[in-house]
Amino acid sequence: MKILVTGGAGFIGSNFILYWIKNHPEDEIINFDALTYAGNLENLKSIEDNPNYKFVKGNIAQSNEVGPVMSGVDIVVHFAAESHVDRSILEPSSFILTNIVGTQVLLDAALKNNVKRFHHISTDEVFGELDLNDTNKFNERTNYNPRSPYSATKAGSDHLVRAYHFTYGLPITITNCSNNYGPYQFPEKFIPLAITNVIEGKKIPVYGDGLYIRDWLYVEDHVRAIEKVLERGKVGKTYLIGGMTELYPNIEIAKKIVRLLGKDESFIEFVKDRLGHDRRYDVDWSKTKEELGWEPQHNFDDWLKKTVEWYKENESWWKKVKSGEYKKYYKTQYEDGSR
Ligand code: NAD
Ligand code: TDX
C-alpha cells in the first residue's frame, strides 16, 4: 500500500508516520510537507533511511507540486494545515490558502488519480464552543459553528471533503478530534509552551480567567483512531475522537505542570485573553467506539507526566525550535500590547 501523508513533519503527522512504519512496515509512506515554521524533519530522524519512507518538500496549495506525488497513491492521510488559533487571529490569510485552497488542490489530485481513500484530519473546533456549566458534548449531529479564523478554515475544508464525496464520488473519511498533546508538539501550543517556559525559568501565560476547558487527547490515541478508521471506517463517514474524561481547566493544567517540574505557582501568570476564546470543548466518541472498537487508553495525569519527562529529556529538540521565527511570534503574541 502506498500512503501519501501531508504535513508529516508536524506534530501529529510525524507521530502518525513513526507509528505506521513500526506497525505496518510493508507499507510505503511519502511524507509531503512544505516545512513551514511548524514542520521539523528531526521528528523523523529515526526512520529517514528506511527504504519504505520518502520525504518530498512541497506545498499542498500548488497543483504542480501535488500532481507528481499523487501518482500511484492508494491512501491520502491529510494532516497539513496551519494549526495555531492565535496565529490565525494575527494573520488569517495563510490559513485560508493552506487549509481551504490546499485541501481543494489535494482533493482534485486525489480524484484524478483514483485514490482508494482520502482521509481528512479535522478538529472539534469546527463545532464552536460549549458552555462551562452545561453537560452537552459535541457529537456527529452537532451543527458547525466555527468561531476563529482557524476553525472557520477547517470547517471549510471539511465541507469541501464531503462535497467531493457526494458530488464526484471520492471515497473519503473524516476525523474531528480534540486537543492533542505528547512528544514533538510545537511549543506554541499550551502544554508544550507551559512546560518549556518553566524549564527556561519563564512563566506560563494563562489566558483570561484560566477557566477554559479542552478535551485532552494523547497523540498516540489519536494515531490509533486514524488507523482504525483507515482499516474499518465507512466511506463518506465522519468519526469523532476525544480523550479520557478528565476535564481540567487550563489553570489546573498550569498548576500540574509547575508541580511536575518542582516549581511553585509564581511561575504562572494571567495574561490578556485570546479574542473570541472558545470556553469549552468536550467530545462524545461513543459512536466511534461502537463502530470501530476504538477508545482512548492514555489517562491525562500519567501521560502529562510522561510528556513533561519527554520535554525534559529532549531540550535540544525544542531549544532549536524555539529560536528564530518563533521568537518574533512570541514577542508579538505575548509582549506587544498593540493588539
Ligand atoms: P502542526 O502545525 O504541528 O503541523 C502542520 C504541518 O503541516 C507542518 O509540518 C507544516 O510544515 C505542514 N504544512 C503547513 N502548511 C503546509 C502547506 N501549505 N503544504 C504542505 N505542508 C504544510 O499541526 P498538528 O498539530 O500536527 O496538526 C495536524 C492536523 O491535525 C491539522 O490539520 C490540524 O488542524 C489537526 N488537528 C490538530 C489538533 C491538535 O491538537 N494539534 C487537534 C485537532 C485537529
Ligand atoms: O499561551 C497560552 N495560554 C493559554 O491560556 C496558549 C497558547 C493557550 N492558552 C489556552 C487557550 C486554550 O484554551 O490553552 C488552551 C489550549 O490552547 P492551544 O494549545 O492554543 O489549543 P486550542 O486553541 O484549543 O487549539 C488546539 O486544539 C484543536 C490546536 O491548536 C488546534 O490545531 C486543534 O484543532
Side-chain angles (χ1 to χ4, degrees), residues 10-12 33-34 36 39 59-60 79 81 83 98 122 150 154 177 180:
F11 162 48
I12 308 173
D33 195 300
T36 67
N59 185 339
I60 57 166
F79 294 95
S83 70
T98 288
S122 192
Y150 163 71
K154 290 299 287 187
C177 74
N180 287 221

Side-chain angles (χ1 to χ4, degrees), residues 19-33:
Y19 176 93
W20 201 271
I21 296 241
K22 191 167 159 209
N23 292 283
H24 305 270
E26 67 289 358
D27 289 341
E28 194 186 328
I29 299 243
I30 302 169
N31 174 12
F32 184 72
D33 195 300

Side-chain angles (χ1 to χ4, degrees), residues 49-243:
D49 296 327
N50 186 311
N52 276 350
Y53 167 77
K54 185 173 157 203
F55 171 71
V56 178
K57 185 171 186 295
N59 185 339
I60 57 166
Q62 297 293 336
S63 56
N64 60 329
E65 295 176 19
V66 169
V69 289
M70 197 61 85
S71 166
V73 163
D74 298 298
I75 296 179
V76 177
V77 186
H78 175 32
F79 294 95
E82 287 294 340
S83 70
H84 192 38
V85 173
D86 292 318
R87 288 184 191 256
S88 83
I89 295 167
L90 292 171
E91 196 273 305
S93 62
S94 60
F95 286 71
I96 289 156
L97 201 57
T98 288
N99 300 1
I100 299 184
V101 177
T103 299
Q104 178 257 320
V105 168
L106 282 174
L107 288 165
D108 274 342
L111 197 59
K112 202 166 149 202
N113 286 275
N114 295 315
V115 304
K116 297 187 186 79
R117 179 75 73 83
F118 186 100
H119 182 69
H120 177 58
I121 311 295
S122 192
T123 170
D124 60 357
E125 300 195 17
V126 297
F127 302 121
E129 67 170 356
L130 297 163
D131 283 343
L132 256 196
N133 38 20
D134 77 26
T135 52
N136 289 338
K137 296 185 179 202
F138 298 136
N139 64 40
E140 292 74 8
R141 293 172 308 285
T142 306
N143 288 333
Y144 274 46
N145 184 24
R147 292 161 27 99
S148 72
Y150 163 71
S151 53
T153 61
K154 290 299 287 187
S157 65
D158 292 12
H159 292 318
L160 278 171
V161 172
R162 277 190 207 102
Y164 270 66
H165 174 62
F166 292 115
T167 308
Y168 307 115
L170 185 70
I172 65 104
T173 38
I174 299 179
T175 39
N176 292 88
C177 74
S178 59
N179 287 60
N180 287 221
Y181 68 102
Y184 301 119
Q185 185 166 31
F186 195 89
E188 64 189 352
K189 306 285 170 27
F190 183 56
I191 288 182
L193 175 75
I195 298 169
T196 58
N197 267 17
V198 175
I199 298 175
E200 289 180 307
K202 289 195 221 144
K203 295 187 185 210
I204 301 177
V206 173
Y207 292 161
D209 58 12
L211 301 177
Y212 292 86
I213 293 186
R214 299 300 184 252
D215 177 345
W216 293 100
L217 168 68
Y218 190 65
V219 63
E220 192 183 312
D221 280 333
H222 181 195
V223 164
R224 279 191 309 102
I226 298 167
E227 179 186 40
K228 281 270 192 251
V229 173
L230 293 178
E231 287 172 353
R232 299 172 53 181
K234 286 203 193 80
V235 164
K237 277 209 73 167
T238 293
Y239 295 90
L240 263 55
I241 316 293

Side-chain angles (χ1 to χ4, degrees), residues 251-315:
I251 183 65
E252 284 307 315
I253 293 174
K255 287 180 185 170
K256 284 175 191 292
I257 289 171
V258 291
R259 273 200 302 274
L260 285 166
L261 288 164
K263 298 287 194 284
D264 61 37
E265 289 175 19
S266 65
F267 275 81
I268 298 175
E269 67 176 338
F270 289 95
V271 300
K272 73 174 183 293
D273 211 347
R274 171 183 284 174
L275 299 176
H277 196 170
D278 289 340
R279 210 18 118 171
R280 182 171 73 90
Y281 305 140
D282 194 0
V283 170
D284 175 0
W285 40 262
S286 56
K287 281 269 175 313
T288 307
K289 180 179 176 187
E290 228 172 80
E291 278 191 34
L292 305 179
W294 170 90
E295 62 185 310
Q297 292 173 348
H298 296 78
N299 73 65
F300 186 71
D301 284 292
D302 290 346
W303 289 85
L304 177 66
K305 189 164 176 235
K306 289 196 205 291
T307 300
V308 168
E309 290 304 319
W310 188 89
Y311 283 88
K312 270 165 73 180
E313 284 159 17
N314 289 277
E315 268 199 45

